[in-house]
Amino acid sequence: MTAPLDDPHRDALLAALSWQIEAGVDECLGETAQNRFEEIARRPAAAAPEKKPPMPGRKPASRPASPVPAADDAIEAVTAAAALAKGAQTLDDLRRAIEDFDGCSLKKGARSTVFADGHSTARVMFIGEAPGRDEDRAGKPFVGRSGQLLDRMLATIGLDRQSDDPATAAYITNVLPWRPVDNRDPSTDEAVMLWSFLARHIELAAPEMIVALGKTPSAVLTERPIAITRERGRWLTPGRGGGRPVLLTFHPAYLLRSPHEKAKSWRDLMSLRAVLDGEAPKLEG
Ligand code: URA
């Protein structure tokens, strides 16, 4: 449909269109929008509990449409993810295992499974949150604005995700392999459900050290809430890092929003460089 130039709704239509493009809409599948989350929520539960008849005179409680699976479905999904992850003997196996996993509703709204970028021979593994729109399109982590900043940060300490030389390589992944449609932070349920995949990813890539980019990967690895503005710069050895040193630092997207924090991030990069050069990290537990 083409709106005539003097259509009084033209500006509103253009604004709605650019909002949709910004939100990641890039295909028109039908004239009527479909709420996929409602479709998921309407599916029968794996083992639906027996429903009590409503009390006379009371309206039965309606179940809100939610992307979060019911408890029994969530347990089933966590178990299935753990089994798939355990069966992966190589990184390629693991990528396929994640692509085959259907327990997370985010996958249905995503165009790509974003697994990793860089070389797995790298000494450092960088872990971010989740793909955004650009990463979903490219099928690679950190390719948008925050990825470009991450690349510049890596370059300042002599690392490059294009390099296959372990001395200069960088390996990059995320807590979630699928884009949350609304670009929100990963939920605890999602991080819990998909943890087995990340755990196996760390085991198979076997980096010497890990850098957690922002509060989400920091919280997932340390299994506690993280106030990143207070805790950045710390080197920890959480059990989930498999005994490796883990550096907590700001997420590049936060640095884009708060450029005055770049000096602190620079200190973290210098600390990472020093550890790569053989200095013992100042471990705090
Ligand atoms: N932010 C992330 O945490 N990961 C990406 O891949 C892109 C942006």
Side-chain angles (χ1 to χ4, degrees), residues 259-272:
H260 62 282
E261 298 281 42
K262 282 187 182 164
K264 293 177 190 157
S265 178
W266 173 250
R267 286 209 286 277
D268 299 346
L269 287 170
M270 290 298 105
S271 162
L272 174 61

Side-chain angles (χ1 to χ4, degrees), residues 128-132 135 141-142 146 174 251:
E129 293 182 350
E135 290 75 21
F142 282 102
S146 56
N174 279 313
H251 191 286

Side-chain angles (χ1 to χ4, degrees), residues 3 51 59 68 89 99 135 141 154 186 197 217 225 257 270-271:
K51 280 204 187 108
K59 273 176 58 185
V68 177
Q89 300 307 313
E99 283 166 354
E135 290 75 21
L154 297 181
F197 291 129
R257 291 194 304 273
M270 290 298 105
S271 162

